Amino acid sequence: MGPIGHCSVGLAAKPLTPKVPLGVLLLATWLLDILAIGFGFAGIEGGGSAGLPWSHGLFMSVIWSVLAALLATRIYRTHRAGVVVGLLVFSHWVLDFVSHPIPFSSFSWRSWQWSYGHPLPSDLPLFFRGSPKVGLGLYNSISAVEATVLEIGMFTLGGAVYAAYVFKKRKAARSHPA
Ligand SMILES: [Zn+2]
């Protein structure tokens, strides 16, 4: 799934944990992709058929989620912040599990199309190199335009939840000035 779809979950989670800045919630939803970019540069993963076990393997995704949860609990001094941030990190894996494998190698930015519906190998490892790979392949059964509409729809829903939260908070601040 793309960054727009992932971050909608972070927008929707803001009312659950008002203490944590929105930017941190959004970063949490992108963490596995940020790690993938970092590990790619460092030559730790990427390339070859191993997939992305260190950033996107199920096992390591659980580890990153737990680490993020512990860190957020420490910084914001509430278990709620930790639980929400940890779940946001893990939401990335769940959404990627639904959408992968993505026929991105055939994607054209000019025509906004990819070639879908062909058999593609699953690319999300459960553990490390050589372990089974999974993925429901939603984005391999719809067009790039449909996937984009889906992500914009998710973003609109998440944005609506966030906007309603901000509106309510402003209204409360106006009726009870500090
Ligand atoms: Zn990802």
Side-chain angles (χ1 to χ4, degrees):
M1 178 155 288
I4 302 286
H6 282 300
C7 80
S8 1
V9 191
L11 282 164
K14 175 68 178 173
L16 300 176
T17 175
K19 263 183 127 178
V20 184
L22 180 64
V24 172
L25 300 176
L26 300 184
L27 270 180
T29 70
W30 292 322
L31 181 66
L32 300 188
D33 280 350
I34 295 170
L35 288 174
I37 292 168
F39 291 159
F41 271 116
I44 293 168
E45 67 175 16
S49 59
L52 304 168
W54 290 97
S55 62
H56 281 67
L58 175 60
F59 176 73
M60 282 312 293
S61 298
V62 170
I63 302 281
W64 300 127
S65 303
V66 170
L67 288 178
L70 292 175
L71 190 66
T73 304
R74 240 203 126 102
I75 294 173
Y76 301 105
R77 298 178 184 283
T78 78
H79 286 292
R80 174 180 278 262
V83 170
V84 172
V85 167
L87 286 175
L88 285 177
V89 173
F90 194 67
S91 77
H92 187 107
W93 195 86
V94 175
L95 291 176
D96 276 3
F97 171 69
V98 173
S99 52
H100 282 231
I102 301 175
F104 201 74
S105 56
S106 65
F107 180 67
S108 152
W109 291 95
R110 278 185 62 184
S111 64
W112 209 265
Q113 292 296 337
W114 57 41
S115 160
Y116 63 100
H118 308 289
L120 275 182
S122 300
D123 62 352
L124 292 174
L126 292 181
F127 296 97
F128 296 99
R129 180 182 286 275
S131 74
K133 298 198 195 80
V134 295
L136 299 180
L138 175 66
Y139 280 15
N140 189 32
S141 55
I142 60 178
S143 69
V145 172
E146 287 166 331
T148 307
V149 170
L150 173 73
E151 297 215 10
I152 293 173
M154 287 173 66
F155 187 79
T156 309
L157 281 177
V161 172
Y162 177 70
Y165 162 78
V166 171
F167 183 76
K168 217 173 125 187
K169 217 179 112 180
R170 288 219 180 125
K171 211 173 145 191
R174 243 182 280 133
S175 51
H176 306 283

